[in-house]
Amino acid sequence: MASDMQPLSGHEIPTRAVENCGVSDHTCHGKCQSCDSDVKPSCAEVNGISLSFGSHTDGKASKETCDCADPDGCLIATNGSCMAIDELTQEFEREQAGATLEDLIFSNDEEEDDSDWDPASSLVMNRWFCLNCTLPNVDAVMYCLNCHELKGSGVDGYDAFKTQIAEAALVSPDTELSEVSTAIGFDERMLLHSELEVKPNPHPERPDRLRAIAASLSAAGIFPSKCALVPPREITKEELLMVHTSDHIESVEQTKNMLYSYFTSDTYANGHSACAAKLAAGLCADLASLIVSGRVQNGFAMVRPPGHHAGVKQAMGFCLHNNAAVAALAAKRAGAKKVLIVDWDVHHGNGTQEIFEGDKSVLYVSLHRHEYGNFYPGTGAAHEVGILDGQGFSVNIPWSRGGVGDNDYIFAFKTVVLPIAAEFAPDITIISAGFDAARGDPLGCCDVTPMGYSIMTSLLTACSGGRLLVILEGGYNLRSISSSATEVVKVLVGDGSSFDVATAPSKEGLETVLQVLKIQQQFWPILGPTYASLQAHQGSFFSKSTSKKRKHSGVPGPFWWNFGSKRLLYKALYEGPLLRKIKGFGQGKAIDSAEP
């Protein structure tokens, strides 16, 4: 896959020890830029950074429960199992208990090598990797078996976006008020963050993710005519110290001296990564400040590396600095008293929850695949509600399976997210917008459509008077991430389409929501009547004749329900105090007048 990365040096790799260079080994594993030596610390952990290279050990999920070497789970999942790719000419999808990314791509029966993530030994040479979703295919296949993209097709249109950057209006505290209400944060230097170590398969978190979104925004006529651009800056150490420990900040900074390095087996860095991470955090902080101060109404941070897995003292899951946390604290410095963070990335934002779990001024709500702790990072169970004064200000909606689609997400929004948000009354809403729950994503394996993301964004616009900051997190199918992000930005600029908000959950989705309501009603009494109604009518929502699902790719089909069930669901959701709470949330009138 094409990359804007320029080699940092042409040194050959000598054999002398790294001790001669004096560079910190906080970056765990890699090539030293100063003395060109291999860096492999002998200790088991450096500043809380795991040095295990064969499996994830940096979340709460153990090797037995989540053995995925990518931060972002498995390829295709159903009922808690992972789908592996093996014998592609005969069968593309089959169930397999948790596996590393290399196992999913190069499945074999050999004993696992727990050294570094390097599946080269099992590489089959007659395979090609899809540039859209990174998954492998045999040479005889011309279209990707996962996303149906043509072999060799890549990102088009980014050059047009680049030429338009100079035409975009700039908005900052020092500029005059712009006519546009939406600001975008982007800088090309974030494309230089790339995995330099040569491996047989492409890393899913790659520069083309930003190129694809940028090209889509340009093609849709959104950029530069309907939004302004925020001048980039690197976040300061003082700002980062409000989120991370000094050791963590220093460990990321030391990557500038390394040709390439790894915090975990899948969380890479090169000589440009520290700058990219500080640019991403700086853009998010400035966007939050501009929104709270009223300079712009809303914003989209088109940034990488992502951030929601980065905790107080560790980098993991492709994430170096926690962008959403930095933005939340910047919003508070700008005058916000309460901040809502809604994280719809398919993986739980364990880092964000850790940072704010004792802070009642920041409400963290996450919707994610969990599968009883068997999906990366293993955290985010419904009973994780925060600690000390922050109890009730961590709200986790943990899906029990893969294949979750629009209906379950929107149902959870209407029954859990919006009522709590209305009660909390935030001054700004931040979305940790991972698009790896999107249909066709190779790691998330869920079924959310671009329209689904548009609906969720629209529902959140009124939570804080339209003050909304969308921050890019995951998403690894280029077509899915670009189309989904574009639909979200259309809502921000006022071009979002209208929609019918009547939705029905799957049986598993309803069970998850009931679990969350049961736990959270002790902190948010507004949820009590909804929980009682849904529980009382739970058995009436489903029947054997209407709960059948399609059996392909582990993705459930639409849930068809009869007129009587629809009336019961309507009564449970939209009558009484819940309706009064969510009226005015963007689509309140539609909800109020929906046909039973």
Side-chain angles (χ1 to χ4, degrees):
M1 187 169 297
S3 172
D4 285 348
M5 171 58 64
Q6 297 297 322
L8 297 182
S9 68
H11 301 310
E12 296 180 356
I13 301 174
T15 58
R16 62 179 181 272
V18 73
E19 287 81 1
N20 296 335
C21 124
V23 173
S24 167
D25 59 9
H26 287 231
T27 48
C28 303
H29 166 71
K31 296 295 178 183
C32 176
Q33 172 115 2
S34 301
C35 70
D36 252 352
S37 301
D38 286 337
V39 178
K40 286 182 180 277
S42 59
C43 59
E45 190 170 88
V46 178
N47 292 334
I49 301 172
S50 168
L51 300 186
S52 171
F53 295 101
S55 65
H56 280 299
T57 56
D58 27 28
K60 293 185 180 179
S62 64
K63 180 179 176 65
E64 288 76 15
T65 61
C66 181
D67 200 22
C68 301
D70 67 273
D72 296 310
C74 59
L75 292 176
I76 297 180
T78 176
N79 298 327
S81 300
C82 297
M83 300 293 286
I85 293 183
D86 188 24
E87 302 176 356
L88 290 177
T89 57
Q90 302 176 14
E91 183 179 1
F92 178 62
E93 299 164 348
R94 67 181 177 84
E95 292 188 352
Q96 172 183 322
T100 60
L101 181 59
E102 60 268 32
D103 289 335
L104 296 170
I105 298 178
F106 306 109
S107 180
N108 58 54
D109 297 327
E110 298 178 3
E111 183 178 355
E112 180 183 356
D113 179 7
D114 208 28
S115 57
D116 198 358
W117 176 35
D118 187 3
S121 60
S122 54
L123 174 64
V124 178
M125 297 307 295
N126 62 340
R127 299 187 182 189
W128 58 273
F129 288 89
C130 178
L131 296 177
N132 180 58
C133 71
T134 74
L135 293 190
N137 295 270
V138 295
D139 275 346
V141 176
M142 291 304 297
Y143 290 88
C144 177
L145 295 177
N146 174 63
C147 68
H148 311 296
E149 196 71 21
L150 179 65
K151 178 180 180 180
S153 61
V155 176
D156 295 321
Y158 177 69
D159 289 341
F161 176 88
K162 283 178 61 176
T163 61
Q164 294 169 336
I165 291 178
E167 304 172 13
L170 297 179
V171 58
S172 70
D174 301 325
T175 61
E176 295 183 2
L177 286 177
S178 173
E179 295 181 0
V180 298
S181 61
T182 301
I184 288 182
F186 175 75
D187 188 271
E188 278 201 290
R189 286 171 289 177
M190 290 183 291
L191 300 176
L192 299 177
H193 171 65
S194 177
E195 186 176 42
L196 284 186
E197 185 176 3
V198 178
K199 294 184 177 181
N201 55 290
H203 198 291
E205 206 296 283
R206 58 209 191 275
D208 275 347
R209 296 174 64 242
L210 291 194
R211 294 191 187 97
I213 297 174
S216 181
L217 293 179
S218 177
I222 296 173
F223 184 89
S225 61
K226 297 183 180 181
C227 51
L229 200 62
V230 177
R233 73 169 178 94
E234 294 185 15
I235 198 78
T236 66
K237 183 176 182 180
E238 290 71 27
E239 290 171 288
L240 286 177
L241 282 171
M242 300 178 70
V243 175
H244 301 294
T245 64
S246 58
D247 283 346
H248 169 78
I249 297 169
E250 180 62 22
S251 69
V252 175
E253 196 67 16
Q254 286 291 348
T255 62
K256 295 191 301 185
N257 301 313
M258 312 290 288
L259 187 60
Y260 61 81
S261 51
Y262 288 84
F263 289 91
T264 66
S265 59
D266 49 24
T267 306
Y268 64 80
N270 62 31
H272 300 285
S273 297
C275 175
K278 288 189 291 185
L279 284 168
L283 285 166
C284 291
D286 288 353
L287 280 166
S289 299
L290 289 168
I291 293 169
V292 172
S293 65
R295 302 282 295 182
V296 296
Q297 180 70 14
N298 53 52
F300 175 51
M302 189 165 58
V303 297
R304 60 182 293 273
H308 74 152
H309 291 308
V312 175
K313 61 180 181 180
Q314 81 280 352
M316 60 180 283
F318 307 171
C319 302
L320 302 187
H321 295 319
N322 195 305
N323 301 320
V326 169
L329 294 181
K332 292 177 67 175
R333 291 195 302 274
K337 302 298 183 184
K338 292 183 289 185
V339 179
L340 168 63
I341 300 176
V342 176
D343 188 338
W344 68 42
D345 189 282
V346 79
H347 308 92
H348 179 243
N350 57 301
T352 309
Q353 177 173 292
E354 177 196 9
I355 291 166
F356 295 117
E357 61 183 349
D359 187 349
K360 65 180 181 180
S361 69
V362 179
L363 172 62
Y364 176 69
V365 182
S366 177
L367 305 91
H368 51 271
R369 274 184 67 181
H370 185 252
E371 300 179 21
Y372 312 102
N374 292 321
F375 192 76
Y376 185 87
T379 54
H383 62 76
E384 297 176 27
V385 297
I387 60 174
L388 303 175
D389 291 341
Q391 289 192 56
F393 293 90
S394 291
V395 180
N396 287 296
I397 303 172
W399 306 124
S400 61
R401 60 171 176 83
V404 183
D406 292 355
N407 282 3
D408 283 337
Y409 272 85
I410 297 168
F411 179 75
F413 260 62
K414 291 188 281 188
T415 54
V416 180
V417 180
L418 298 183
I420 293 178
E423 196 81 352
F424 181 65
D427 298 305
I428 182 175
T429 300
I430 296 172
I431 301 177
S432 272
F435 295 106
D436 40 7
R439 178 177 294 174
D441 190 273
L443 305 184
C445 309
C446 286
D447 200 34
V448 181
T449 67
M451 182 55 65
Y453 286 115
S454 174
I455 293 172
M456 289 189 286
T457 306
S458 296
L459 290 172
L460 289 173
T461 53
C463 287
S464 47
R467 292 181 292 276
L468 184 62
L469 171 57
V470 180
I471 298 175
L472 181 65
E473 298 285 359
Y476 310 101
N477 178 317
L478 300 185
R479 300 295 180 191
S480 295
I481 191 177
S482 58
S483 58
S484 299
T486 299
E487 289 303 315
V488 167
V489 178
K490 283 182 179 179
V491 174
L492 298 183
V493 300
D495 288 346
S497 57
S498 59
F499 52 84
D500 180 6
V501 299
T503 57
S506 66
K507 181 177 181 180
E508 296 87 351
L510 178 59
E511 290 171 348
T512 296
V513 167
L514 282 170
Q515 178 192 22
V516 175
L517 290 171
K518 181 179 180 180
I519 292 171
Q520 290 292 338
Q521 65 177 339
Q522 62 182 309
F523 307 107
W524 306 96
I526 188 66
L527 302 178
T530 303
Y531 173 66
S533 296
L534 290 176
Q535 188 180 42
H537 299 295
Q538 180 180 6
S540 303
F541 293 153
F542 309 97
S543 66
K544 293 181 180 179
S545 62
T546 60
S547 60
K548 294 181 181 180
K549 301 178 177 67
R550 292 194 303 263
K551 295 182 179 180
H552 64 87
S553 303
V555 178
F559 177 75
W560 299 106
W561 43 311
N562 59 41
F563 180 83
S565 295
K566 183 176 180 181
R567 181 179 296 277
L568 287 172
L569 183 61
Y570 172 82
K571 290 173 68 66
L573 288 181
Y574 303 133
E575 291 186 358
L578 177 58
L579 174 60
R580 290 194 295 272
K581 274 293 176 184
I582 63 178
K583 282 185 70 175
F585 267 67
Q587 299 298 321
K589 292 183 179 179
I591 292 174
D592 197 20
S593 61
E595 288 293 328

